[in-house]
Amino acid sequence: NGMDTLQPLETTISDKERFRDSVPLELSCPNCITKFAFGGIVASRYYRCVYSGIQCSNCDHIMTPIQVTSQVERVIRAHISLYYAGWVTCDDTTCGNVTRQISVYGKRCLMDGCTGIMSYKYSDKQLYNQMLYFQSLFDLQKNKLQTLKPLYHSGDKNEPEKPLSNSEVQALAEQNRPLFETSKQVVQKYLSDCGRAYVDMGSIFDFMQT
Amino acid sequence: DAKKYKFRTMRQSLLDAADVLDEQIDIFTEVIQKHHNLKASDIGDPTFQQQSEVYTVGRIVADSVSAEGSLNVDSLAIETSRSTGIGRRIRLNFEKVQDLSVFPGQIIGLRGKNANGEYFVVEEILKVPYLNFPVSDAETLQNSQITLNDQAMKVVVTAGPYTAANNLDFSNLADFVERINSSIKPHVLVMFGPFLDITHPLISTGNIPEFPSLKQQPKTLDEIFIKVITPILRRINPKIQVIVLPSTKEVSSKHAAYPQDSLDRKYLGLPKNFKCFTNPSTFQLNEIFFGCSNNDIYKDLKEVTKGGNVFQRNRFDRVSEHILEQRRYYPVFPGGIRTRKIEDKNGKPIFEHISGADLDLPYLGLTEFVGGIIPDVILIPSELTHFARVVQNVIMINPGSFIRPNGGRGTYVEMSIEAPDMENEKMTKVEDVYLHNLWKRSRIDVLTA
């Protein structure tokens, strides 16, 4: 129950921390169907950013902008739809009830005798952070500052041999500006409709209206 | 009120959702109580062991919270509202009921007894009254008669997808637009999305083909709509009124939840004869009320049935009656979901979410019938076979998909509605107003698209 516990201000935590639970953006090469996690302009065994776009390391196909943005949009919509599937889960670890049924009391667990509290398994905060994560991948500044959430932990078997040099990242970011800005706009399209991104001042100051 | 659909999505509160679920039961409790002349004290808590019979109203739910998928007569329970049974649930025993068709999410009125505290034995399922039909006064009807010049009003209905599953070729839609202009010539064309389906297989793989007609290839899916689909739609004769309803699978809608905000006409470059409506929406063409919803209730409503009389009837009729009785375009809860079985990294089978009914529960009130009436005609597209049926004097239509997934031609619907004529025996006069009796005045053809 995040609201009750003391937490650092959202804006002060690092992307690595904020996107801890976010899942990677998985792209598939339209040419050879290899799937890979896209982590921005970073080193990877599966893809490389070249001056003309994102290139599949398996077949050397360079993805066109629509081949990238269509997948980004599809992935976002799958996340939104999963959110709206409305899975709820019980916080009592001995119960662990996962269901799409909701009691008329909302937070009450429907298992006999369980006093646990139900909450959305895929919370709106998680969805919002997930979309911010996707947005960060196409954020040129974050790419240049190399503050993106790393794709791999050290020791992962898929970890690339060596990171990209700073100058490579700077150059590639500029060369890919149009692609990244277009992709970022695709994410922005959904963020602009996301209720979590906006605070309803009306309801906060409700008490002032008599 | 279309403005109410402009809410921001992705912010469901569980408490708001529960309020709506509770309220649905309370609303029907009042309706059923009034219709059957019951006193408030006759409505009882079915979850308590009692010696006497009680009347009760609640939601049909699965008797186990983990039950997803198929249910049967022995695995159902009723959920009470906060006020009738503090939200408790009790298993239902339908042994004494001959015929029934119920579904999860249905608000139901029952007479019966809970003799042992284990289950509620149902003696009778109480009828929920249908809402009234819309009526018009003589002046309104005369006006539509004059507007139509005594000719029949022609309404054409299509529903997406408009391309096959293995291409993004809109040439069939382009051909259809030609036919609309040259031979079909309707007054009104109602088009349901998705025009471009986000779950289209080529979109998931990023395998978007080149559009040879375009000098500059689109960079986003929205650009495909604007550069490829809009030019085709713009060719529709501007004298034809076009009504567009989105789908939650529509690429060009950022409001990916049901109830759903309308598409942005200006952004998509659609001309002035296009009206972008919300999903669902109710509107009037002359005197006639159209109810439209683009969420596949005919596929998602999975009945639990019993009795020969029920089986003999057409399933679409039964589902239609449920919609009319529940007074909502999508009465199933939890809403349908579509998943795909895949293997995770360790080879274990898991289910990947593809799409769903995407219900935004706190706003479900916007999916109820508007104005306390039943529309004259209800259009709800479905993946299932097209149909047009008269159910309880309401015309229920599923136009079918415009194109089949394999690329074969799908269907569309042509409605031909006689102008109202008060001298005609087809109109029924009730005091000083008239029932529209659309079902007596309409001819509906399902045609190959």
Side-chain angles (χ1 to χ4, degrees), chain A residues 149-172:
Chain A
K149 178 191 172 186
L151 277 180
Y152 307 103
H153 303 291
S154 58
D156 257 352
K157 67 176 190 323
N158 294 325
E159 195 192 8
E161 275 160 25
K162 64 181 177 62
L164 297 179
S165 77
N166 185 38
S167 58
E168 277 178 296
V169 174
Q170 305 300 320
L172 287 169

PDB file of all heavy atoms in Angstrom, chain A residues 149-172:
ATOM      1  N   LYS A 149      18.098   2.579 -18.104  1.00  0.00           N
ATOM      2  CA  LYS A 149      18.136   1.339 -17.333  1.00  0.00           C
ATOM      3  C   LYS A 149      18.896   0.285 -18.136  1.00  0.00           C
ATOM      4  O   LYS A 149      18.582   0.042 -19.308  1.00  0.00           O
ATOM      5  CB  LYS A 149      16.701   0.858 -17.090  1.00  0.00           C
ATOM      6  CG  LYS A 149      16.603  -0.443 -16.340  1.00  0.00           C
ATOM      7  CD  LYS A 149      15.178  -0.992 -16.359  1.00  0.00           C
ATOM      8  CE  LYS A 149      15.137  -2.387 -15.783  1.00  0.00           C
ATOM      9  NZ  LYS A 149      13.827  -3.021 -15.912  1.00  0.00           N
ATOM     10  N   PRO A 150      19.914  -0.341 -17.549  1.00  0.00           N
ATOM     11  CA  PRO A 150      20.697  -1.329 -18.296  1.00  0.00           C
ATOM     12  C   PRO A 150      19.841  -2.555 -18.657  1.00  0.00           C
ATOM     13  O   PRO A 150      18.946  -2.937 -17.909  1.00  0.00           O
ATOM     14  CB  PRO A 150      21.807  -1.724 -17.332  1.00  0.00           C
ATOM     15  CG  PRO A 150      21.639  -0.905 -16.113  1.00  0.00           C
ATOM     16  CD  PRO A 150      20.331  -0.200 -16.164  1.00  0.00           C
ATOM     17  N   LEU A 151      20.122  -3.122 -19.821  1.00  0.00           N
ATOM     18  CA  LEU A 151      19.366  -4.305 -20.255  1.00  0.00           C
ATOM     19  C   LEU A 151      19.797  -5.561 -19.513  1.00  0.00           C
ATOM     20  O   LEU A 151      19.017  -6.482 -19.323  1.00  0.00           O
ATOM     21  CB  LEU A 151      19.599  -4.537 -21.755  1.00  0.00           C
ATOM     22  CG  LEU A 151      18.751  -3.744 -22.751  1.00  0.00           C
ATOM     23  CD1 LEU A 151      19.141  -4.138 -24.162  1.00  0.00           C
ATOM     24  CD2 LEU A 151      17.274  -3.997 -22.520  1.00  0.00           C
ATOM     25  N   TYR A 152      21.051  -5.601 -19.151  1.00  0.00           N
ATOM     26  CA  TYR A 152      21.574  -6.834 -18.548  1.00  0.00           C
ATOM     27  C   TYR A 152      22.285  -6.534 -17.243  1.00  0.00           C
ATOM     28  O   TYR A 152      22.861  -5.465 -17.063  1.00  0.00           O
ATOM     29  CB  TYR A 152      22.558  -7.515 -19.510  1.00  0.00           C
ATOM     30  CG  TYR A 152      21.972  -7.740 -20.874  1.00  0.00           C
ATOM     31  CD1 TYR A 152      22.308  -6.909 -21.948  1.00  0.00           C
ATOM     32  CD2 TYR A 152      21.055  -8.768 -21.100  1.00  0.00           C
ATOM     33  CE1 TYR A 152      21.758  -7.106 -23.209  1.00  0.00           C
ATOM     34  CE2 TYR A 152      20.497  -8.972 -22.351  1.00  0.00           C
ATOM     35  CZ  TYR A 152      20.850  -8.135 -23.402  1.00  0.00           C
ATOM     36  OH  TYR A 152      20.296  -8.322 -24.628  1.00  0.00           O
ATOM     37  N   HIS A 153      22.225  -7.506 -16.338  1.00  0.00           N
ATOM     38  CA  HIS A 153      23.038  -7.424 -15.125  1.00  0.00           C
ATOM     39  C   HIS A 153      24.433  -7.922 -15.490  1.00  0.00           C
ATOM     40  O   HIS A 153      24.576  -8.694 -16.443  1.00  0.00           O
ATOM     41  CB  HIS A 153      22.475  -8.345 -14.035  1.00  0.00           C
ATOM     42  CG  HIS A 153      21.061  -8.057 -13.692  1.00  0.00           C
ATOM     43  ND1 HIS A 153      20.684  -6.906 -13.052  1.00  0.00           N
ATOM     44  CD2 HIS A 153      19.935  -8.772 -13.891  1.00  0.00           C
ATOM     45  CE1 HIS A 153      19.379  -6.925 -12.871  1.00  0.00           C
ATOM     46  NE2 HIS A 153      18.890  -8.039 -13.383  1.00  0.00           N
ATOM     47  N   SER A 154      25.409  -7.505 -14.710  1.00  0.00           N
ATOM     48  CA  SER A 154      26.734  -8.041 -15.000  1.00  0.00           C
ATOM     49  C   SER A 154      26.712  -9.528 -14.676  1.00  0.00           C
ATOM     50  O   SER A 154      26.134  -9.957 -13.681  1.00  0.00           O
ATOM     51  CB  SER A 154      27.803  -7.313 -14.182  1.00  0.00           C
ATOM     52  OG  SER A 154      27.505  -7.431 -12.819  1.00  0.00           O
ATOM     53  N   GLY A 155      27.288 -10.296 -15.560  1.00  0.00           N
ATOM     54  CA  GLY A 155      27.290 -11.741 -15.370  1.00  0.00           C
ATOM     55  C   GLY A 155      26.228 -12.448 -16.179  1.00  0.00           C
ATOM     56  O   GLY A 155      26.249 -13.664 -16.334  1.00  0.00           O
ATOM     57  N   ASP A 156      25.241 -11.699 -16.717  1.00  0.00           N
ATOM     58  CA  ASP A 156      24.235 -12.283 -17.604  1.00  0.00           C
ATOM     59  C   ASP A 156      24.922 -12.929 -18.789  1.00  0.00           C
ATOM     60  O   ASP A 156      25.897 -12.399 -19.307  1.00  0.00           O
ATOM     61  CB  ASP A 156      23.316 -11.163 -18.140  1.00  0.00           C
ATOM     62  CG  ASP A 156      21.983 -11.150 -17.447  1.00  0.00           C
ATOM     63  OD1 ASP A 156      21.729 -12.092 -16.683  1.00  0.00           O
ATOM     64  OD2 ASP A 156      21.211 -10.201 -17.662  1.00  0.00           O
ATOM     65  N   LYS A 157      24.376 -14.041 -19.242  1.00  0.00           N
ATOM     66  CA  LYS A 157      25.065 -14.709 -20.345  1.00  0.00           C
ATOM     67  C   LYS A 157      24.930 -13.911 -21.650  1.00  0.00           C
ATOM     68  O   LYS A 157      25.713 -14.061 -22.568  1.00  0.00           O
ATOM     69  CB  LYS A 157      24.570 -16.156 -20.514  1.00  0.00           C
ATOM     70  CG  LYS A 157      23.131 -16.324 -20.980  1.00  0.00           C
ATOM     71  CD  LYS A 157      22.884 -17.827 -21.190  1.00  0.00           C
ATOM     72  CE  LYS A 157      21.614 -18.224 -21.876  1.00  0.00           C
ATOM     73  NZ  LYS A 157      20.388 -17.578 -21.700  1.00  0.00           N
ATOM     74  N   ASN A 158      23.898 -13.037 -21.700  1.00  0.00           N
ATOM     75  CA  ASN A 158      23.718 -12.235 -22.909  1.00  0.00           C
ATOM     76  C   ASN A 158      24.395 -10.873 -22.842  1.00  0.00           C
ATOM     77  O   ASN A 158      24.246 -10.066 -23.741  1.00  0.00           O
ATOM     78  CB  ASN A 158      22.230 -12.022 -23.169  1.00  0.00           C
ATOM     79  CG  ASN A 158      21.542 -13.320 -23.509  1.00  0.00           C
ATOM     80  OD1 ASN A 158      22.129 -14.182 -24.157  1.00  0.00           O
ATOM     81  ND2 ASN A 158      20.318 -13.473 -23.051  1.00  0.00           N
ATOM     82  N   GLU A 159      25.110 -10.653 -21.745  1.00  0.00           N
ATOM     83  CA  GLU A 159      25.732  -9.348 -21.573  1.00  0.00           C
ATOM     84  C   GLU A 159      26.738  -9.080 -22.690  1.00  0.00           C
ATOM     85  O   GLU A 159      27.554  -9.933 -23.011  1.00  0.00           O
ATOM     86  CB  GLU A 159      26.444  -9.304 -20.217  1.00  0.00           C
ATOM     87  CG  GLU A 159      26.797  -7.913 -19.787  1.00  0.00           C
ATOM     88  CD  GLU A 159      27.747  -7.922 -18.600  1.00  0.00           C
ATOM     89  OE1 GLU A 159      28.244  -8.990 -18.206  1.00  0.00           O
ATOM     90  OE2 GLU A 159      27.997  -6.820 -18.071  1.00  0.00           O
ATOM     91  N   PRO A 160      26.673  -7.897 -23.319  1.00  0.00           N
ATOM     92  CA  PRO A 160      27.616  -7.604 -24.400  1.00  0.00           C
ATOM     93  C   PRO A 160      29.038  -7.485 -23.865  1.00  0.00           C
ATOM     94  O   PRO A 160      29.233  -7.202 -22.681  1.00  0.00           O
ATOM     95  CB  PRO A 160      27.122  -6.267 -24.951  1.00  0.00           C
ATOM     96  CG  PRO A 160      26.299  -5.680 -23.868  1.00  0.00           C
ATOM     97  CD  PRO A 160      25.743  -6.807 -23.069  1.00  0.00           C
ATOM     98  N   GLU A 161      30.008  -7.703 -24.764  1.00  0.00           N
ATOM     99  CA  GLU A 161      31.398  -7.741 -24.312  1.00  0.00           C
ATOM    100  C   GLU A 161      31.879  -6.402 -23.779  1.00  0.00           C
ATOM    101  O   GLU A 161      32.476  -6.323 -22.725  1.00  0.00           O
ATOM    102  CB  GLU A 161      32.305  -8.218 -25.447  1.00  0.00           C
ATOM    103  CG  GLU A 161      32.376  -9.746 -25.508  1.00  0.00           C
ATOM    104  CD  GLU A 161      32.835 -10.252 -26.858  1.00  0.00           C
ATOM    105  OE1 GLU A 161      33.523  -9.517 -27.584  1.00  0.00           O
ATOM    106  OE2 GLU A 161      32.466 -11.406 -27.184  1.00  0.00           O
ATOM    107  N   LYS A 162      31.639  -5.353 -24.562  1.00  0.00           N
ATOM    108  CA  LYS A 162      32.055  -4.052 -24.026  1.00  0.00           C
ATOM    109  C   LYS A 162      31.027  -2.987 -24.387  1.00  0.00           C
ATOM    110  O   LYS A 162      30.333  -3.103 -25.398  1.00  0.00           O
ATOM    111  CB  LYS A 162      33.450  -3.673 -24.532  1.00  0.00           C
ATOM    112  CG  LYS A 162      33.574  -3.462 -26.034  1.00  0.00           C
ATOM    113  CD  LYS A 162      35.033  -3.128 -26.350  1.00  0.00           C
ATOM    114  CE  LYS A 162      35.346  -2.955 -27.821  1.00  0.00           C
ATOM    115  NZ  LYS A 162      34.736  -1.937 -28.575  1.00  0.00           N
ATOM    116  N   PRO A 163      30.913  -2.001 -23.531  1.00  0.00           N
ATOM    117  CA  PRO A 163      29.924  -0.957 -23.793  1.00  0.00           C
ATOM    118  C   PRO A 163      30.332  -0.071 -24.957  1.00  0.00           C
ATOM    119  O   PRO A 163      31.479  -0.102 -25.389  1.00  0.00           O
ATOM    120  CB  PRO A 163      29.886  -0.165 -22.479  1.00  0.00           C
ATOM    121  CG  PRO A 163      31.217  -0.416 -21.858  1.00  0.00           C
ATOM    122  CD  PRO A 163      31.676  -1.756 -22.300  1.00  0.00           C
ATOM    123  N   LEU A 164      29.363   0.698 -25.469  1.00  0.00           N
ATOM    124  CA  LEU A 164      29.674   1.663 -26.520  1.00  0.00           C
ATOM    125  C   LEU A 164      30.469   2.810 -25.919  1.00  0.00           C
ATOM    126  O   LEU A 164      30.294   3.150 -24.752  1.00  0.00           O
ATOM    127  CB  LEU A 164      28.386   2.210 -27.135  1.00  0.00           C
ATOM    128  CG  LEU A 164      27.466   1.225 -27.848  1.00  0.00           C
ATOM    129  CD1 LEU A 164      26.226   1.959 -28.356  1.00  0.00           C
ATOM    130  CD2 LEU A 164      28.183   0.543 -29.002  1.00  0.00           C
ATOM    131  N   SER A 165      31.334   3.394 -26.720  1.00  0.00           N
ATOM    132  CA  SER A 165      32.085   4.539 -26.217  1.00  0.00           C
ATOM    133  C   SER A 165      31.180   5.758 -26.189  1.00  0.00           C
ATOM    134  O   SER A 165      30.182   5.825 -26.927  1.00  0.00           O
ATOM    135  CB  SER A 165      33.304   4.817 -27.106  1.00  0.00           C
ATOM    136  OG  SER A 165      32.878   5.468 -28.284  1.00  0.00           O
ATOM    137  N   ASN A 166      31.531   6.690 -25.357  1.00  0.00           N
ATOM    138  CA  ASN A 166      30.722   7.886 -25.201  1.00  0.00           C
ATOM    139  C   ASN A 166      30.547   8.631 -26.522  1.00  0.00           C
ATOM    140  O   ASN A 166      29.456   9.054 -26.879  1.00  0.00           O
ATOM    141  CB  ASN A 166      31.345   8.797 -24.140  1.00  0.00           C
ATOM    142  CG  ASN A 166      30.464   9.995 -23.861  1.00  0.00           C
ATOM    143  OD1 ASN A 166      29.242   9.855 -23.839  1.00  0.00           O
ATOM    144  ND2 ASN A 166      31.063  11.152 -23.694  1.00  0.00           N
ATOM    145  N   SER A 167      31.639   8.724 -27.291  1.00  0.00           N
ATOM    146  CA  SER A 167      31.542   9.479 -28.542  1.00  0.00           C
ATOM    147  C   SER A 167      30.648   8.765 -29.543  1.00  0.00           C
ATOM    148  O   SER A 167      29.926   9.393 -30.316  1.00  0.00           O
ATOM    149  CB  SER A 167      32.930   9.709 -29.130  1.00  0.00           C
ATOM    150  OG  SER A 167      33.563   8.473 -29.356  1.00  0.00           O
ATOM    151  N   GLU A 168      30.683   7.434 -29.548  1.00  0.00           N
ATOM    152  CA  GLU A 168      29.782   6.669 -30.418  1.00  0.00           C
ATOM    153  C   GLU A 168      28.328   6.986 -30.090  1.00  0.00           C
ATOM    154  O   GLU A 168      27.512   7.217 -30.974  1.00  0.00           O
ATOM    155  CB  GLU A 168      30.008   5.169 -30.220  1.00  0.00           C
ATOM    156  CG  GLU A 168      31.167   4.587 -31.009  1.00  0.00           C
ATOM    157  CD  GLU A 168      31.337   3.099 -30.710  1.00  0.00           C
ATOM    158  OE1 GLU A 168      31.639   2.767 -29.535  1.00  0.00           O
ATOM    159  OE2 GLU A 168      31.154   2.284 -31.614  1.00  0.00           O
ATOM    160  N   VAL A 169      28.023   6.960 -28.792  1.00  0.00           N
ATOM    161  CA  VAL A 169      26.647   7.202 -28.360  1.00  0.00           C
ATOM    162  C   VAL A 169      26.192   8.587 -28.789  1.00  0.00           C
ATOM    163  O   VAL A 169      25.101   8.747 -29.342  1.00  0.00           O
ATOM    164  CB  VAL A 169      26.519   7.037 -26.831  1.00  0.00           C
ATOM    165  CG1 VAL A 169      25.107   7.430 -26.362  1.00  0.00           C
ATOM    166  CG2 VAL A 169      26.822   5.610 -26.410  1.00  0.00           C
ATOM    167  N   GLN A 170      27.048   9.598 -28.571  1.00  0.00           N
ATOM    168  CA  GLN A 170      26.690  10.975 -28.936  1.00  0.00           C
ATOM    169  C   GLN A 170      26.393  11.074 -30.424  1.00  0.00           C
ATOM    170  O   GLN A 170      25.386  11.639 -30.839  1.00  0.00           O
ATOM    171  CB  GLN A 170      27.822  11.964 -28.587  1.00  0.00           C
ATOM    172  CG  GLN A 170      28.283  11.930 -27.134  1.00  0.00           C
ATOM    173  CD  GLN A 170      27.174  12.261 -26.155  1.00  0.00           C
ATOM    174  OE1 GLN A 170      26.365  13.146 -26.408  1.00  0.00           O
ATOM    175  NE2 GLN A 170      27.104  11.532 -25.056  1.00  0.00           N
ATOM    176  N   ALA A 171      27.268  10.489 -31.248  1.00  0.00           N
ATOM    177  CA  ALA A 171      27.107  10.588 -32.698  1.00  0.00           C
ATOM    178  C   ALA A 171      25.850   9.845 -33.149  1.00  0.00           C
ATOM    179  O   ALA A 171      25.039  10.370 -33.929  1.00  0.00           O
ATOM    180  CB  ALA A 171      28.342  10.023 -33.392  1.00  0.00           C
ATOM    181  N   LEU A 172      25.674   8.642 -32.643  1.00  0.00           N
ATOM    182  CA  LEU A 172      24.525   7.836 -33.060  1.00  0.00           C
ATOM    183  C   LEU A 172      23.203   8.493 -32.651  1.00  0.00           C
ATOM    184  O   LEU A 172      22.213   8.433 -33.381  1.00  0.00           O
ATOM    185  CB  LEU A 172      24.618   6.431 -32.475  1.00  0.00           C
ATOM    186  CG  LEU A 172      25.667   5.529 -33.120  1.00  0.00           C
ATOM    187  CD1 LEU A 172      25.865   4.266 -32.297  1.00  0.00           C
ATOM    188  CD2 LEU A 172      25.283   5.178 -34.556  1.00  0.00           C
TER     189      LEU A 172
END
